[in-house]
């Protein structure tokens, strides 16, 4: 019932990626630097603080979710007498990722992310094919008709929170903020527009395919059998009858790849935002950056080990991203409409209308 949400979110994401990227390619400044320089330093500080609070919740929720997955999955390993505890799994994952970040090279970091996303995509698309072969095409296509489903029995989350969370995940302010940082770092100018558009198209198409695969898998398995999931530990045993142990292992590997490919960049967001705010250089080997990453890793491990409800926390943190989105889009409209900044690349009337509609959609979310 919610495929339309993912499709609409991906279309909006593509449009916003182009506009955020265009601002940086024309001005040479990231969106944080643009807000600080051309709007007000207080507005940039508010934006960074709001994003940082959301990241803290996301780090805690995502690591808790990953720890639960490893704990439940380890219970199926024949060479272990008892499963790894979720708390120790959280500590181990956090320590491993911190070591990866200590390597300190962005290129190495990007290669790891590429491998993780490839594993995630293969795993989720394969499990969709395995689980959804009994679904009729008409059922899937009906998901593109906008509707708000009834609340599922036994679910802690209302449809509104789920939709806002899905939009927050897809139309992610973090994606746009980091995009402008990477565009500046790559040195792309407006002459690189075609390469930038191609890059954005590939990203958004993959985003839609993987998200749709996850949703179709859930609809074909848990939903059809009448199961609800409020804790990741409930899901893995439920799915084993559908997939068998081997396929379930691949699915779990996909979940871990998805979680790690989100958690790694999330750890970098706060240091990068602060560097942007202060006009410094993005170097993972800096003492301040390493201490910040250590503090964030410890925070996530401690909070995740307390056994909080990761699904609800993740939904809430992602829904909060939707709250910050109108602010970011409003700033983008103002900055990209200024002739003194953008010259001939400033917003046309159709761009202004489209961005205003996007802002209205984000306010509704």
């Amino acid at each position: 019932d919610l495929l339309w949400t993912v499709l609409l979110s991906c279309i909006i994401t593509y449009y916003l990626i182009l506009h955020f990227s265009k601002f940086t390619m024309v001005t040479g400044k990231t969106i944080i630097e643009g807000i600080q320089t051309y709007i007000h330093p207080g507005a940039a500080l508010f934006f960074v603080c709001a994003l940082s609070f959301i990241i803290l919740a996301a780090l805690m929720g995502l690591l808790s979710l990953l720890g639960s997955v490893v704990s439940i999955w380890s219970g199926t390993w024949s060479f272990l007498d008892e499963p790894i505890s979720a708390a120790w799994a959280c500590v181990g994952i956090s320590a491993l990722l911190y070591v990866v970040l200590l390597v300190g090279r962005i290129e190495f970091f990007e290669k790891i992310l590429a491998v993780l996303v490839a594993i995630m995509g293969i795993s989720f698309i394969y499990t969709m094919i395995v689980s959804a072969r009994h679904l009729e095409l008409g059922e899937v296509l009906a998901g593109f008709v906008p509707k708000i489903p009834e609340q599922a029995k036994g679910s802690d989350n209302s449809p509104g929170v789920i939709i806002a969370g899905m939009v927050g995940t897809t139309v992610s302010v973090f994606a746009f903020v980091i995009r402008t940082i990477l565009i500046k770092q790559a040195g792309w100018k407006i002459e690189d527009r075609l390469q930038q558009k191609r890059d954005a198209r590939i990203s958004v198409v993959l985003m839609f395919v993987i998200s749709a695969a996850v949703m179709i898998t859930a609809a074909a398995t848990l939903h059809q059998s009448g199961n609800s999931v409020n804790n990741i530990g409930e899901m893995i045993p439920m799915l084993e009858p559908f997939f068998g142990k081997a396929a379930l292992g691949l699915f779990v590997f996909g979940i871990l790849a998805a979680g790690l490919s989100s958690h790694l960049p999330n750890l970098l967001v706060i240091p990068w935002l602060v560097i942007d705010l202060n006009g410094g250089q993005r170097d993972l080997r800096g003492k301040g950056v390493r201490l910040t990453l250590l503090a964030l890793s410890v925070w996530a491990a401690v909070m995740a080990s307390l056994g909080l409800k990761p699904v609800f926390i993740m939904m809430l943190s992602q829904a909060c991203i939707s709250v910050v989105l109108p602010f970011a889009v409003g700033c983008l409209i103002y900055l990209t409409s200024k002739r003194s900044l953008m010259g001939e690349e400033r917003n046309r009337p159709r761009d202004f209308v489209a961005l205003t509609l996007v802002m209205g959609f984000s306010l509704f979310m």
Side-chain angles (χ1 to χ4, degrees):
D1 284 349
L2 292 176
L3 275 177
W4 66 271
T5 312
V6 177
L7 180 63
L8 181 59
S9 297
C10 286
I11 293 170
I12 291 172
T13 297
Y14 175 69
Y15 186 73
L16 288 179
I17 283 177
L18 296 186
H19 276 268
F20 275 96
S21 300
K22 183 174 73 172
F23 171 77
T24 299
M25 289 192 294
V26 171
T27 66
K29 293 185 179 293
T30 67
I31 189 64
I32 298 292
E33 291 172 334
I35 294 171
Q36 186 176 37
T37 305
Y38 304 115
I39 297 180
H40 195 277
L45 181 62
F46 162 77
F47 192 37
V48 168
C49 289
L51 294 177
S52 298
F53 279 121
I54 294 169
I55 278 292
L56 289 175
L59 288 173
M60 173 178 61
L62 195 51
L63 188 61
S64 179
L65 196 148
L66 288 169
S68 297
V69 169
V70 170
S71 179
I72 298 294
W73 191 29
S74 67
T76 66
W77 300 346
S78 57
F79 57 88
L80 289 180
D81 294 329
E82 58 182 35
I84 301 168
S85 73
W88 279 114
C90 290
V91 171
I93 293 169
S94 192
L96 175 65
L97 294 184
Y98 181 66
V99 170
V100 168
L101 291 173
L102 279 184
V103 173
R105 291 186 61 82
I106 296 296
E107 295 80 7
F108 174 70
F109 171 70
E110 288 174 343
K111 287 176 183 176
I112 289 177
L113 280 184
V115 171
L116 288 173
V117 171
I119 292 170
M120 173 180 68
I122 292 167
S123 299
F124 289 162
I125 292 169
Y126 172 75
T127 51
M128 177 190 69
I129 293 168
V130 169
S131 63
R133 56 183 180 270
H134 303 303
L135 280 183
E136 293 185 9
L137 182 61
E139 289 182 85
V140 177
L141 294 178
F144 292 107
V145 179
K147 64 181 82 66
I148 297 178
E150 296 178 9
Q151 181 160 347
K153 292 179 181 179
S155 174
D156 288 349
N157 301 302
S158 70
V161 171
I162 292 171
I163 291 173
M166 288 170 59
V167 171
T169 305
T170 312
V171 192
S172 173
V173 177
F174 294 106
F176 307 133
V177 170
I178 297 300
R179 178 77 174 188
T180 62
I181 291 173
L182 295 177
I183 290 282
K184 179 179 178 179
Q185 190 168 292
W188 283 2
K189 303 298 181 186
I190 199 65
E191 294 77 21
D192 301 299
R193 188 198 308 265
L194 291 179
Q195 183 180 354
Q196 195 275 131
K197 283 186 175 181
R198 182 185 63 200
D199 186 69
R201 276 197 302 272
I202 293 170
S203 300
V204 170
V205 168
L206 285 173
M207 186 188 302
F208 174 76
V209 169
I210 292 173
S211 299
V214 173
M215 294 178 70
I216 291 168
T217 300
T221 55
L222 300 176
H223 179 69
Q224 283 197 344
S225 59
N227 290 314
S228 61
V229 175
N230 292 306
N231 188 296
I232 196 72
E234 302 167 352
M235 182 178 70
I236 295 173
M238 287 179 189
L239 288 175
E240 189 168 338
F242 293 101
F243 298 137
K245 285 191 176 182
L248 182 62
L250 181 62
F251 181 67
V252 171
F253 208 48
I255 294 175
L256 292 174
L260 293 172
S261 66
S262 296
H263 195 70
L264 263 173
N266 280 354
L267 284 167
L268 286 171
V269 167
I270 292 178
W272 278 9
L273 289 178
V274 172
I275 287 170
D276 243 20
L277 204 58
N278 296 326
Q281 294 294 317
R282 277 167 289 280
D283 185 0
L284 295 181
R285 290 166 291 187
K287 184 178 179 182
V289 172
R290 290 190 170 188
L291 287 174
T292 304
L293 291 174
L294 178 61
L296 291 172
S297 299
V298 172
W299 152 267
V302 170
M303 298 306 291
S305 299
L306 295 178
L308 304 172
K309 296 178 70 174
V311 173
F312 177 73
I313 293 170
M314 286 305 301
M315 292 300 302
L316 196 61
S317 67
Q318 299 305 316
C320 286
I321 298 177
S322 300
V323 178
V324 183
L325 185 61
F327 176 84
V329 175
C331 291
L332 180 70
I333 293 173
Y334 174 76
L335 292 171
T336 53
S337 297
K338 289 175 71 73
R339 180 189 287 270
S340 58
L341 283 180
M342 303 298 293
E344 294 302 313
E345 297 295 333
R346 73 187 187 282
N347 290 333
R348 304 290 189 270
R350 65 175 182 273
D351 295 322
F352 186 81
V353 170
L355 287 168
T356 303
L357 288 173
V358 168
M359 189 170 177
F361 173 72
S362 64
L363 283 169
F364 175 70
M365 284 298 113

